[in-house]
Amino acid sequence: MLAAKSLTIPGRLTDVSAALAPGAVTAIVGPNGAGKSTLLAAFAGLISGPVALDGTPLAALSPQQRAQTIGFLPQDGEVAWNLSVETLARLGRLPHKTSRAEDDAATAAALSALDLERFASRSVGTLSGGERARALLARVLAGTPRWILADEPLAALDLAHQQALLRQFRLLAGQGTGIALVLHDLAQARNHADRVIVLQDGRVAAEGPPHEALTEEVILKVWGVAARWTGPETARALSLDRT
Amino acid sequence: MTRPIAILLAALVLAIPLSLLAGQVWISPFGPPVRNAIPILMELRLPRAVLALVIGAGLGASGAAMQGYLRNPLADPGLFGIAPMAALGAVLSFYTGFSVQPFALPLFALAGGAIAMVLLALIAGRSGGIALFTLAGMMIASLAGALTSLAISLSPNPFALSEIVTWLMGALADRGWHEVWIALPPTLLGLILLARAGPALDALTLGEAAARSLGMEPRRLQVLMVAGVGLIVGAGVAVAGIIGFVGLVVPHLVRPFTDGRPSALLIPSALAGALLLLIADCLCRLLPLAGGELRLGIALSLIGAPFFLRLLLKMRKELG
């Protein structure tokens, strides 16, 4: 478990208690400014606070141990230098003091998992948005973390790439990886997450399985929008009233 | 060993003996014997060549590290304000007349560089944030520049004035083994520190948050950078004055031949910097110029400015 207990970060989060489970996809949702990215960064150990990994405070781990265990994909997707896709993915091996052969194998596996082998020697600057998003995720996968925390990984991706990435996250969860995604699309959270944490003004407004945490009442209370869930249980759509 | 490193090493192996033979007196192993050839080689040209290699390697590597640290291809080692502060220290030694004492000039310069490092650490505090840190460096640089100008305008006599101005231009002329022993140890130590910063600089490619998630410790990296760049730049300024553009230009020349990671750039940039300074110093020695030789700092700025312009035009094109 990766758990925050009464996490308070002045001006951003107030008394937030929430946990991520291994083998599950957890969606973190909420209006703009609700503290989603801050909570994710706290789970990643980038903001100090009472967050514990299987009972051990994150602060008690060395930066290297933490980096080996928790993979973090920021929203901005910055790559300062025009690296090749392979070199970019290999940066994920930085926390590991392993042999060259192990690094090679992990990097190749990450590229293969995201169907990027034929892009391996292409430079990042020449990729399309979807290819770039996959290359950045390959960097995280190459580090073989037990936890993957991604900040709006689906933003700016077309439908096919969104689906491909969501399948990848599901596959990783099936292998035991704990996944947390900051999402804006509530239908994605409802259909693809195992648990949802709803934040409002830095506090947890609702938490639980999607059908319990993301009810029409919660959406009205948190977003101030009257919306209705429609469609079958595995492919819910959120309809907004015109008025 | 990667290919750029092998090629640069081969070029250095060729360039070093040639640089020793070139000068106002040409010494050819196949030509007629030259009077005083051994003293000319051992006491004049060899220390000068070694100094060019040491300072060039330091500036090349610290330029590569700075560009990696600031994630900006326009960064150079002068940005921390350490070089201008070291120059201010040297100028003060002329101003006060202490420069006639042996070792006073480099000691003043090293002290200036050290003060800049302490100021940087104090202003930037414990956060390790890069933007604040860069602004602090720029503030220190502009303050040091202003105080240097003040010292020049108030200089006590024309001799001090002329010494200051000449020295500020940067040169390796008339330097000997003394200067080598002053510059070599801090530069070597600085290079080791920068090499240790390599993995953290690679992580920074992905931005500060991702780098920290990969285990990069901002405060540790900052200490390595300030100490590494500070030792190298301080030692260089202490023996040769301000030598610009090497730290900016060299990483650019080398980057296309590497995989682009800052750590992969450090050694090739050190070798290319050493080569560039060795060749530039040879050219200064050979160019016939009334009233002495071309100053190395001026020569490099003359080479560097058009290069910088080309870089800006390329960036303008990329920005559309």
Side-chain angles (χ1 to χ4, degrees):
Chain A
M1 290 290 257
L2 191 53
K5 200 175 174 199
S6 304
L7 173 64
T8 296
I9 291 160
R12 293 197 271 177
L13 294 177
T14 310
D15 194 26
V16 170
S17 295
L20 308 177
V25 176
T26 304
I28 302 174
V29 298
N32 292 330
K36 304 183 293 292
S37 295
T38 306
L39 178 59
L40 197 75
F43 275 134
L46 302 181
I47 298 174
S48 62
V51 178
L53 173 65
D54 298 330
T56 311
L58 279 187
L61 301 177
S62 72
Q64 197 187 339
Q65 283 173 319
R66 198 196 64 219
Q68 287 171 0
T69 316
I70 303 173
F72 177 73
L73 188 62
Q75 190 184 350
D76 58 19
E78 176 177 352
V79 184
W81 308 105
N82 204 6
L83 310 179
S84 73
V85 170
E86 206 258 341
T87 307
L88 170 63
R90 191 178 286 272
L91 290 181
R93 299 304 298 167
L94 278 171
H96 299 268
K97 301 281 175 270
T98 44
S99 71
R100 170 107 195 164
E102 274 175 87
D103 291 349
D104 284 346
T107 307
L111 291 178
S112 154
L114 290 162
D115 203 17
L116 283 168
E117 289 119 322
R118 65 206 160 90
F119 295 102
S121 55
R122 280 263 297 274
S123 62
V124 176
T126 65
L127 300 178
S128 72
E131 292 157 358
R132 186 187 171 95
R134 269 148 66 205
L136 286 163
L137 181 61
R139 187 274 296 172
V140 177
L141 296 193
T144 58
R146 277 169 45 219
W147 301 88
I148 292 179
L149 314 180
D151 198 351
E152 295 198 36
L154 307 178
L157 291 188
D158 65 36
L159 213 52
H161 282 111
Q162 291 185 11
Q163 188 187 36
L165 235 55
L166 283 168
R167 282 192 177 147
Q168 187 63 43
F169 287 127
R170 175 54 60 196
L171 192 73
L172 288 161
Q175 294 160 1
T177 309
I179 311 259
L181 310 175
V182 170
L183 295 177
H184 261 302
D185 186 329
L186 299 184
Q188 272 168 356
R190 171 93 195 233
N191 294 324
H192 297 278
D194 302 307
R195 292 190 76 79
V196 177
I197 299 169
V198 182
L199 291 179
Q200 180 184 24
D201 296 332
R203 294 172 186 272
V204 178
E207 206 244 327
H211 65 276
E212 289 174 17
L214 272 180
T215 58
E216 290 165 2
E217 295 74 46
V218 168
I219 294 170
L220 180 63
K221 185 180 131 233
V222 173
W223 280 268
V225 173
R228 271 180 305 118
W229 289 113
T230 57
E233 186 51 46
T234 53
R236 289 288 207 181
L238 192 63
S239 304
L240 302 183
D241 281 351
R242 198 166 159 177
T243 48
Chain B
M1 190 162 59
T2 59
R3 195 147 56 141
I5 295 179
I7 292 171
L8 285 165
L9 276 177
L12 277 171
V13 168
L14 278 176
I16 292 169
L18 281 177
S19 83
L20 295 179
L21 304 181
Q24 282 177 2
V25 180
W26 280 84
I27 301 172
S28 164
F30 311 111
V34 176
R35 242 159 48 100
N36 295 330
I38 298 296
I40 289 177
L41 281 177
M42 296 307 294
E43 296 304 322
L44 294 176
R45 291 195 187 158
L46 189 58
R48 192 167 164 170
V50 172
L51 212 53
L53 295 172
V54 169
I55 294 174
L59 288 176
S62 45
M66 284 295 286
Q67 291 181 8
Y69 184 59
L70 299 179
R71 283 170 287 156
N72 189 327
L74 297 181
D76 87 349
L79 268 185
F80 279 171
I82 294 165
M85 277 297 276
L88 175 65
V91 165
L92 287 180
S93 80
F94 288 116
Y95 183 82
T96 54
F98 277 112
S99 62
V100 293
Q101 311 284 339
F103 293 112
L105 166 61
L107 282 178
F108 268 67
L110 286 172
I115 290 172
M117 291 193 245
V118 172
L119 279 178
L120 274 172
L122 287 178
I123 297 172
R126 303 178 56 84
S127 70
I130 292 173
L132 178 70
F133 194 63
T134 312
L135 288 172
M138 288 166 74
M139 188 276 290
I140 293 171
S142 87
L143 180 68
L147 289 174
T148 302
S149 300
L150 183 68
I152 292 174
S153 64
L154 296 180
S155 75
N157 57 62
F159 301 107
L161 178 67
S162 124
E163 273 187 313
I164 291 174
V165 172
T166 315
W167 186 86
L168 276 179
M169 291 172 191
L172 292 174
D174 309 318
R175 307 300 200 268
W177 289 111
H178 271 317
E179 281 81 5
V180 171
W181 298 129
I182 291 171
L184 186 61
T187 304
L188 279 181
L189 185 58
L191 287 173
I192 292 169
L193 295 177
L194 293 185
R196 295 194 58 126
L201 292 176
D202 287 353
L204 257 188
T205 302
L206 301 168
E208 284 188 67
R212 284 176 52 219
S213 80
L214 282 169
M216 184 273 289
E217 297 163 74
R219 189 66 187 153
R220 173 178 177 270
L221 178 59
Q222 203 164 68
V223 169
L224 284 175
M225 285 298 297
V226 173
V229 173
L231 285 166
I232 288 170
V233 171
V237 171
V239 295
I242 301 251
I243 295 177
F245 279 105
V246 178
L248 174 69
V249 169
V250 161
H252 279 283
L253 295 176
V254 175
R255 190 172 286 117
F257 303 101
T258 68
D259 64 16
R261 284 175 305 130
S263 72
L265 204 55
L266 288 174
I267 295 175
S269 292
L271 295 175
L275 187 65
L276 175 65
L277 216 57
L278 188 73
I279 293 172
D281 186 48
C282 265
L283 292 179
C284 289
R285 218 151 60 196
L286 290 174
L287 278 181
L289 203 70
E293 46 174 81
L294 181 61
R295 313 290 296 184
L296 182 60
I298 299 176
L300 282 164
S301 294
L302 287 176
I303 302 170
F307 180 88
F308 197 72
L309 181 65
R310 202 189 70 114
L311 199 71
L312 288 178
L313 291 177
K314 197 172 145 220
M315 281 178 72
R316 191 177 69 175
K317 207 168 123 197
E318 278 168 10
L319 291 174

